[in-house]
Amino acid sequence: MRMEAGLARGHNLHVTWKGDVIRISRDVSDEEKTAVGRRKIKVHNSFLKLGVNTAMSSVPNVALLGSGGGLRAMIALQGVLGELQKEDLLGAVMYLCGVSGSTWCMSFIYEHEEWLGKLPILEAKMCDNLVNQSWDPSKSLDALVEPSKEKTYSLTDFWGSVVLYAMLHEANYGHLSKERMVSFNGEVPYPIYAAVDSNKLDDTSKTHPGIWFEFTPHDAGFFHPGAFVDMRLLGSSFENGVLRILKNEKSISYLRGLWGSSFADRKEDVKEIEDYIKHLGEQASASSCHCIYCQAASHAIKLLIHAMEGTTHEHQDENITNIMELLKDQVGSNTYNFLSLLKDKHNTLDKPGRVAQFLTLADMFTQEFAARTSPFTHHEETKRSIWDTLRILSKTVYCLFKWKWGTISNYIYKYPSLNDKNLTGKEELRLADAGIAMNSAYPLVLRPEREVKLILSFDFSSGNPFETVKEAVLYCKENHLPFPDIDVSELDKSKDSPYDCYVFQGHDSPTVMHFPLFNTVNCKDKVAEWREQYSTLKVSYKEQEVKNLLEAAKANVRNNRGRILQAMKSMQAP
């Protein structure tokens, strides 16, 4: 679809779009081909320096996979990349592809042009962020002011701007499209970020290629059936292939929340999200405006927070009374009448019922009285009003109890030339962490169009370190893709005490080198202890823990340099 339109509906964006913004094709984009072509020159030079004598026309594509694994994966991938560069191997990598925690590392380093030469500095900065820095709740709320106005607002927005900011101690409001400049000249591997379509996961097998959704600096979309949108327009509203409402490009913080929400997929983590909501409410319930409506809104926030507690809170009666006193001149209003009823029955309600009642109150109260306040009632520093805070918290609580994640406008809604009604029939997509399907993004680098010949799979997963390999075997079998013939039952025998490197080769298939993070080489006989200490749910690290994890990851590269080099040499054209 070609477009020449200066659209500014929804947001005041004075941009004229020219060219293809929706691409219906199974091929990779022309921009990726150009970037990869430039990268091939650098890869060829790296191969020659390593003694791999191959013609420019037959340079094999090497893909590096970073699996999911929370902060453990983020830190470990940083160590892997640093050591690969130190060993002169990273220059030979064409693609860098991540899932979940690995995408946090990727989006961190790709902020910097020519980052290959800056990895020691970036490693030190990551360590400092994780150990010495903190998060600012006010900054989190500010970031959610505009997203919370959208009907697509979900827990993904909250997860990225609040929970991950609190974990990573870094808020990144840049954009993935900016990585075009970083990858333009071929100095670094071309980045690919993975997600899956939760709607399709509900209806089909985890091995179906149609569940996979990829992000590159140039576009985002489904490689099966082959439908992509310009990365800058993901989240804008389309219908019948026509751009209806232009929206701001999604921030890296939002995308991190989308890419890395696998442990948000577990409903037992509801309490953690509730605790963040309460913390924000307690921090931001005061209003700088002293008008009766803003003061009442402040009490409404306190009511909402108290409603989320498992038992009746003694301050609820007090806050209801305070709001009614402030609104005593509005006795006939819907809000006042609702409060009168609520005061008599809220103690008899269970938690879901109480929350539902207070969400109704917040919505009713906002509709009746927000417009009566002065337009100059925003926080002096942030320009965020008490009404913004009330909206953010109430919509987040609503999403929590509806368990709403990953909703984003569907760019191929009612697209005329696509026959997949399950995809084109929905106004919204529901995207999620790819780790809930497969914790390494094999499907994205196994696309025939990318012509990958060697896969370096660095596995930072919890549990069985061969699970991603087993899932890749099944995926390729069911989708008739070439992959090494692997006896997975043999692998399971060493799942509790794996080696540091496994090489899988096959006829007319890519070679796969698999590196379990914790193994009997770098952890000796303490693999179980390392796994327990660095669990996926570990959300804070001491400095020495970061250094130990970095060293474990680096050792897997350093100890296997010869094997990696041998695999590269074995790909030389005869």
Side-chain angles (χ1 to χ4, degrees):
M1 183 193 77
R2 296 185 64 82
M3 176 171 297
E4 296 187 16
L7 242 60
R9 295 171 58 190
H11 286 290
N12 188 25
L13 301 181
H14 301 291
V15 180
T16 298
W17 295 97
K18 294 184 178 181
D20 295 316
V21 293
I22 292 181
R23 183 171 60 86
I24 304 300
S25 171
R26 295 229 179 153
D27 202 358
V28 298
S29 68
D30 290 341
E31 292 83 0
E32 177 178 333
K33 291 176 183 177
T34 299
V36 166
R38 293 192 175 104
R39 177 65 181 164
K40 183 164 287 192
I41 298 171
K42 309 292 184 181
V43 170
H44 182 243
N45 291 335
S46 293
F47 274 139
L48 294 179
K49 290 178 182 178
L50 291 167
V52 182
N53 298 312
T54 183
M56 181 68 185
S57 60
S58 57
V59 171
N61 287 348
V62 179
L64 192 160
L65 294 182
S67 81
L71 279 178
R72 179 185 62 238
M74 177 184 181
I75 297 166
L77 181 58
Q78 183 75 45
V80 165
L81 295 173
E83 195 66 17
L84 284 170
Q85 178 66 1
K86 184 178 178 181
E87 298 290 345
D88 296 322
L89 295 170
L90 191 52
V93 174
M94 179 65 73
Y95 289 107
L96 177 53
C97 184
V99 167
S100 198
S102 284
T103 66
W104 303 344
C105 174
M106 290 172 59
S107 58
F108 170 71
I109 61 176
Y110 275 89
E111 285 185 74
H112 309 272
E113 291 190 36
E114 300 183 5
W115 53 259
L116 264 67
K118 303 174 182 177
L119 285 169
I121 297 173
L122 294 175
E123 179 183 304
K125 182 180 179 184
M126 175 185 286
C127 182
D128 180 67
N129 284 346
L130 294 174
V131 175
N132 299 320
Q133 304 303 315
S134 60
W135 72 296
D136 180 355
S138 180
K139 191 174 181 180
S140 289
L141 284 170
D142 292 344
L144 292 174
V145 169
E146 292 303 321
S148 65
K149 296 175 182 177
E150 305 292 341
K151 69 175 184 177
T152 55
Y153 181 81
S154 74
L155 290 177
T156 301
D157 294 272
F158 187 83
W159 192 258
S161 290
V162 178
V163 182
L164 289 189
Y165 176 19
M167 285 173 54
L168 308 183
H169 301 157
E170 184 204 31
N172 187 334
Y173 301 116
H175 302 104
L176 186 57
S177 64
K178 298 298 183 183
E179 293 183 14
R180 296 177 180 187
M181 294 304 299
V182 181
S183 57
F184 174 77
N185 59 10
E187 291 292 336
V188 299
Y190 192 76
I192 309 169
Y193 301 80
V196 291
D197 181 350
S198 293
N199 286 325
K200 287 192 173 183
L201 267 178
D202 291 341
D203 303 322
T204 190
S205 164
K206 289 183 178 182
T207 59
H208 193 289
I211 68 175
W212 286 85
F213 194 94
E214 68 174 46
F215 301 76
T216 74
H218 295 99
D219 59 15
F222 299 95
F223 70 85
H224 183 93
F228 299 86
V229 65
D230 187 299
M231 186 59 228
R232 296 166 294 181
L233 293 177
L234 180 66
S236 290
S237 179
F238 289 82
E239 185 175 349
N240 295 313
V242 177
L243 178 60
R244 300 296 188 189
I245 304 176
L246 181 63
K247 300 290 179 66
N248 286 313
E249 181 178 350
K250 293 296 186 181
S251 72
I252 290 293
S253 282
Y254 171 85
L255 294 175
R256 283 175 175 172
L258 191 158
W259 298 326
S261 56
S262 65
F263 50 113
D265 183 62
R266 296 189 291 269
K267 292 195 176 184
E268 57 262 33
D269 290 317
V270 166
K271 185 180 184 304
E272 180 182 1
I273 300 173
E274 285 184 338
D275 287 343
Y276 276 107
I277 295 172
K278 293 174 187 176
H279 181 71
L280 291 176
E282 290 163 358
Q283 294 284 313
S285 60
S287 173
S288 58
C289 175
H290 297 291
C291 77
I292 60 172
Y293 303 119
C294 287
Q295 291 303 307
S298 178
H299 286 291
I301 290 174
K302 294 175 184 177
L303 269 177
L304 187 61
I305 300 307
H306 297 328
M308 296 176 62
E309 301 194 356
T311 57
T312 301
H313 197 288
E314 60 182 2
H315 295 306
Q316 289 182 5
D317 283 331
E318 179 184 345
N319 283 309
I320 291 175
T321 301
N322 287 337
I323 298 175
M324 293 179 70
E325 177 63 25
L326 287 164
L327 299 181
K328 61 186 177 182
D329 293 333
Q330 306 293 329
V331 172
S333 67
N334 292 332
T335 300
Y336 192 94
N337 292 337
F338 188 83
L339 282 165
S340 298
L341 295 172
L342 189 60
K343 186 175 182 179
D344 294 332
K345 72 173 184 178
H346 76 88
N347 285 329
T348 66
L349 299 172
D350 59 9
K351 181 178 177 178
R354 193 160 58 247
V355 170
Q357 292 295 312
F358 285 114
L359 286 176
T360 299
L361 170 63
D363 184 59
M364 185 184 299
F365 180 49
T366 300
Q367 288 188 37
E368 280 196 299
F369 299 114
R372 301 192 189 187
T373 60
S374 165
F376 304 105
T377 59
H378 296 74
H379 189 282
E380 291 181 3
E381 295 181 1
T382 66
K383 308 304 181 186
R384 169 174 38 84
S385 73
I386 194 69
W387 300 98
D388 290 325
T389 302
L390 178 59
R391 181 184 63 254
I392 292 166
L393 296 179
S394 60
K395 289 193 75 169
T396 302
V397 171
Y398 173 83
C399 291
L400 180 64
F401 281 83
K402 291 293 184 179
W403 206 240
K404 180 183 178 185
W405 288 90
T407 45
I408 192 168
S409 293
N410 184 5
Y411 59 96
I412 45 177
Y413 176 55
K414 294 185 178 179
Y415 198 88
S417 62
L418 283 176
N419 296 322
D420 187 349
K421 298 303 180 185
N422 289 329
L423 191 55
T424 61
K426 295 181 173 68
E427 285 191 63
E428 297 174 352
L429 301 175
R430 189 161 59 94
L431 302 178
D433 188 323
I436 65 177
M438 188 188 302
N439 209 31
S440 276
Y442 280 96
L444 304 189
V445 299
L446 287 169
R447 290 179 57 185
E449 300 83 10
R450 292 200 164 113
E451 300 180 335
V452 170
K453 302 301 181 184
L454 173 62
I455 297 174
L456 304 178
S457 165
F458 288 90
D459 196 281
F460 316 125
S461 306
S462 62
N464 189 335
F466 305 112
E467 195 63 33
T468 55
V469 175
K470 293 163 61 177
E471 290 169 339
V473 169
L474 183 59
Y475 176 87
C476 290
K477 181 178 180 180
E478 294 199 7
N479 292 286
H480 309 291
L481 293 170
F483 199 76
D485 187 15
I486 300 173
D487 187 345
V488 295
S489 62
E490 283 298 312
L491 289 179
D492 281 340
K493 292 178 182 178
S494 59
K495 65 181 181 180
D496 296 323
S497 54
Y499 301 128
D500 60 346
C501 178
Y502 294 79
V503 182
F504 307 113
Q505 295 175 303
H507 180 66
D508 291 333
S509 74
T511 296
V512 176
M513 300 188 73
H514 186 70
F515 305 86
L517 174 58
F518 301 133
N519 53 72
T520 54
V521 178
N522 63 5
C523 301
K524 306 303 180 185
D525 61 347
K526 299 186 182 301
V527 172
E529 288 89 335
W530 277 75
R531 288 177 178 174
E532 182 178 358
Q533 181 178 358
Y534 297 99
S535 73
T536 303
L537 298 182
K538 185 178 177 66
V539 296
S540 64
Y541 278 73
K542 298 177 182 177
E543 182 175 1
Q544 193 56 50
E545 290 177 319
V546 174
K547 291 181 177 179
N548 291 345
L549 189 53
L550 285 167
E551 176 53 32
K554 292 176 180 181
N556 288 339
V557 174
R558 186 167 59 248
N559 294 335
N560 290 289
R561 182 185 190 276
R563 301 182 78 178
I564 296 172
L565 184 56
Q566 183 56 45
M568 290 177 175
K569 289 181 177 180
S570 69
M571 294 187 298
Q572 296 179 70

